[in-house]
Amino acid sequence: VSAPKPYQIGLGSLLPKEEECANLIVPVCVSCSHIAFGSIRMEPVFMILGQSAGTVASMALNKKKNIHDLTYSEITPGIIGSTQLFINATPLGMYPDTGSKPDLRYDLLNSRQILFDLVYNPEITSFLRIGKERGCTVLSGLKMLYSQAEKSWEIWNDDSLL
């Protein structure tokens, strides 16, 4: 199963129903189908879910609110502002569709953040260009492509493997 574009994981999938249990966030028990769960059960996704859960819990405590009473407009800036690394691991922005980019609140990016794009053509995508304008450190996928090529050359030319 492939997703036609990157997808978001809604906060509601991490929260039990409020009437069943208030103020509980369970980032590793996402409520979804087995197919959807298969697409998110990678370590980086679980790390992001954990960070997001911690940010939401902290916000609820600071605002003296129940987690279920926080709104997305309250949560989104906190999560984007506390994220250190954004990775575009999709083909968004790749030639010939160079104007496309991940759906992100770019106005919330800051100089403490790193944007890494696996796309290497063009070398500076819309995602990276906007990040650079916002003061972020940006890394193109071109270096990764070169590193992979060098490692492949080493592996295929290693006489000790014969």
Side-chain angles (χ1 to χ4, degrees), residues 8-15 72:
Q8 297 177 355
I9 300 171
L11 179 62
S13 64
L14 308 180
L15 302 174
Y72 275 104

Side-chain angles (χ1 to χ4, degrees), residues 9 25 33 40 42 53 57 66 91 95 106-107 121 123 129-131 142 144 154:
I9 300 171
I25 306 175
S33 71
I40 65 165
M42 296 177 291
N66 183 315
Y95 180 82
Y106 291 92
D107 60 309
N121 182 17
E123 187 172 352
R129 181 184 47 76
I130 295 170
L142 194 57
M144 186 183 73
E154 287 174 24

Side-chain angles (χ1 to χ4, degrees), residues 51-68:
Q51 177 186 351
S52 299
T55 300
V56 169
S58 174
M59 293 175 90
L61 285 170
N62 291 337
K63 294 177 180 279
K64 296 181 179 13
K65 284 185 162 185
N66 183 315
I67 289 169
H68 289 86

Side-chain angles (χ1 to χ4, degrees), residues 80-101:
I80 291 178
S82 67
T83 300
Q84 295 175 331
L85 175 64
F86 293 88
I87 301 173
N88 177 25
T90 73
L92 288 173
M94 186 181 290
Y95 180 82
D97 192 17
T98 58
S100 64
K101 60 188 179 301

Side-chain angles (χ1 to χ4, degrees), residues 67-82:
I67 289 169
H68 289 86
D69 295 334
L70 291 172
T71 64
Y72 275 104
S73 60
E74 291 175 293
I75 295 169
T76 301
I79 290 178
I80 291 178
S82 67

Side-chain angles (χ1 to χ4, degrees), residues 142-154:
L142 194 57
K143 178 160 177 36
M144 186 183 73
L145 177 69
Y146 290 153
S147 297
Q148 288 174 331
E150 289 171 5
K151 191 62 177 174
S152 293
W153 181 261
E154 287 174 24

Side-chain angles (χ1 to χ4, degrees), residues 88-116:
N88 177 25
T90 73
L92 288 173
M94 186 181 290
Y95 180 82
D97 192 17
T98 58
S100 64
K101 60 188 179 301
D103 184 18
L104 179 67
R105 289 275 312 271
Y106 291 92
D107 60 309
L108 299 174
L109 296 176
N110 61 66
S111 62
R112 296 182 320 274
Q113 296 167 320
I114 301 168
L115 274 62
F116 181 45

